[in-house]
Amino acid sequence: GIQVPAGSVREGESFADASLRELKEETGFDCFEIVSEIGADTYDMSPYRTELQERHFFIAKPTAELPERWNSQEDHDSEQEPTRFECFWIPLTQAHVLQTAQSIYIGKLARYLTAELSNVHT
């Protein structure tokens, strides 16, 4: 399914640093900066796994030009076979298709971006 970059927090790593690392690992690009944390939530992985995930959501933006679509892979620190990704941008109006409730903060993201745009035009 369609998803946003996500992953685990390593020991001693902040949530923001983990977000940037996961962005790099899953997109293949090291050109993002955190703009804001927009919330945290708990997600029950049932019936796939017996696991409650604490999820932190951030707005990040690229600091360099990125393509509209590209292939990438996560190497998992060479501990397992790489996971291959096809990366692409989607409009916020289509973000409801994200899997495992990753779209829960799309409304907050849209409100944040609307406020930022209105500040630019004032």
Side-chain angles (χ1 to χ4, degrees):
I2 297 176
Q3 57 184 313
V4 295
S8 301
V9 178
R10 294 178 178 165
E11 188 174 334
E13 190 174 47
S14 71
F15 297 124
D17 287 342
S19 308
L20 290 172
R21 177 181 49 76
E22 289 292 341
L23 273 167
K24 179 182 178 184
E25 287 176 0
E26 295 183 13
T27 68
F29 288 101
D30 190 16
C31 59
F32 294 95
E33 66 182 19
I34 298 295
V35 175
S36 178
E37 182 172 6
I38 57 172
D41 209 339
T42 302
Y43 183 73
D44 185 349
M45 291 296 292
S46 301
Y48 308 107
R49 294 195 300 257
T50 306
E51 177 183 348
L52 288 176
Q53 293 183 341
E54 179 183 351
R55 295 178 169 185
H56 292 258
F57 295 83
F58 291 87
I59 297 172
K61 69 177 183 179
T63 58
E65 190 81 18
L66 296 178
E68 288 295 317
R69 187 175 289 266
W70 69 96
N71 293 316
S72 185
Q73 71 179 35
E74 183 174 3
D75 293 323
H76 305 287
D77 299 324
S78 300
E79 294 178 8
Q80 65 188 56
E81 288 296 312
T83 302
R84 300 191 195 305
F85 298 106
E86 180 182 7
C87 301
F88 53 93
W89 305 100
I90 62 171
L92 285 178
T93 55
Q94 295 176 12
H96 64 280
V97 301
L98 296 174
Q99 70 178 25
T100 61
Q102 290 181 334
S103 59
I104 191 168
Y105 280 93
I106 294 301
K108 279 190 174 186
L109 174 58
R111 287 188 294 279
Y112 177 89
L113 293 174
T114 301
E116 284 297 305
L117 286 174
S118 69
N119 289 337
V120 168
H121 297 294
T122 58

